[in-house]
Amino acid sequence: MNRNDLLSGDELSVSKALTVVESDRVAARSLIGSLPEREYYVIGITGSSGAGKSTLVNWLSVSFSDASRTAVLAIDPSSPFKGGAFLGDRIRMNRASRSGKILIRSMASRGMVGGLSPSVFDAVELLGRCGYHYIIVETVGVGQAETDIVNLSDVVVLVLAPGIGDEIQMMKAGIMEIGDIYTVNKMDIHGADQLANRIRSVLDLADVKREIVKTNSLTGTNVDRLYQLLIGELNRREKSGKIEESRQRRREIAELNTAFSALKEAHSRGVKLEAIMECINRLREDG
Amino acid sequence: MKKTRIIVAKPGLDGHDRGAKIVAMALRDAGMEVIYTGLRQSPSDIVNTALQEDADVIGLSILSGAHMRICDRLLELMNEKGIADKPVVVGGIIPHDDVEILKKKGIAEVFGPGTSLKQLEQRIKELAEKK
Ligand SMILES: Nc1nc2c(ncn2[C@@H]2O[C@H](COP(=O)(O)OP(=O)(O)O)[C@@H](O)[C@H]2O)c(=O)[nH]1
Ligand SMILES: [Mg+2]
């Protein structure tokens, strides 16, 4: 991997770099550190399995790519049994894939129960530094992954759909804290209006002002509206300083993750906890 | 830790992927990360996917009888895109006489109808490690 190839966003080099990021966290940090920082935005797309997130991203990513360089990270859970994974999001992303303009990468959550793999934080930073301006991250929103995607993203779209149990999901406490924009996908299916109304009333009760967009991801209907809302939201957040906050948070989490990996590695090589603590204390005294 | 990543793709126009899915699930259960592309993938789609996913192995399931044409085009495009080092394995219905021809062209392995999932898994692991 040549640094210039990475900086110019050469797909093969970036793809190989993502493998490094996924396999070796310490090497990942030095690789990322060798590239200059750039501005980029992370758009989180989350929701139940089967809501139509991948199908939606198939259109949404094309809208973003018309504006600037765009990458998609599609994350699916690793199976607890032997850690394999079935990564099937690309099945729904032919349009984006064939546009020839979007880097799509499937990632497994790798051992983090329900949550996002720590290397996702490095992956977005790498992509950002390789010149990808918009990075769309699709995750299944369950358990820990819900808070992880909020920590990772500058803006989060919560995708819901009729007929897959989201009507009940909606009543769950805390659902209002996940989405910045709500999408009721499968608007062509019976129950979509009802679901949208339900979300509206839950948000109203909580006195939370959020946009709700109904989409049909088979035809792309209203995806442009969602795109416009996202761009508007990103602009607003940039002005209010919220984007800078998200960046800080991402940086902090990435650093903590790496520190943890390094400690874990040292520990597995027989370095005793006492020695590690002593080392940390010494560093602290030195200021 | 490096995980084995394999693409399971279904090129050509024949319309069902039950066999490919069974293989994909078995490889997942063997601890691999399987990128599943779905039906009707052109050689160019598959090469694009392999490049973006940095797969260790590319697996094709071909039932249509068009394996020669598909493999020729695939290998040609892989060369063009600089990923000729990735091993390609083919499963499905491949006539006995064609197996050697495909291997000569550069296909790393052809899995005949009698191949067990265990053998398949074993060989793919070998190829991924050799790479
Ligand atoms: N009727 C209808 N089906 C959809 C729509 N969007 C997605 N689907 C279907 O819903 C299923 C799940 O879609 P997928 O994108 O894989 O969902 P994900 O698990 O959230 O990524 C697929 O069979 C899609 O074809 C939609 O707007 N309307
Ligand atoms: Mg999906």
Side-chain angles (χ1 to χ4, degrees), chain A residues 21-72:
Chain A
V21 161
E22 274 204 291
S23 337
D24 183 342
R25 310 227 45 241
V26 178
R29 292 307 289 175
S30 65
L31 181 60
I32 291 167
S34 74
L35 304 167
E37 263 188 75
R38 283 195 212 175
E39 200 172 78
Y40 67 91
Y41 297 98
V42 182
I43 297 108
I45 310 286
T46 193
S48 311
S49 179
K53 298 180 295 297
S54 301
T55 319
L56 179 68
V57 168
N58 190 31
W59 294 89
L60 193 61
S61 58
V62 174
S63 299
F64 276 103
S65 76
D66 285 339
S68 192
R69 297 235 346 255
T70 300
V72 173

Side-chain angles (χ1 to χ4, degrees), chain A residues 58-59 61-63 92-100 102 104:
Chain A
N58 190 31
W59 294 89
S61 58
V62 174
S63 299
R92 313 277 169 220
M93 295 190 188
N94 279 322
R95 194 185 140 84
S97 181
R98 286 175 187 153
S99 78
I102 301 164
I104 305 172

Side-chain angles (χ1 to χ4, degrees), chain A residues 48-55 92 138 185-186 188-189 216-218:
Chain A
S48 311
S49 179
K53 298 180 295 297
S54 301
T55 319
R92 313 277 169 220
E138 175 190 336
N185 191 39
K186 307 195 188 182
D188 54 308
I189 282 184
N216 178 342
S217 297
L218 298 180

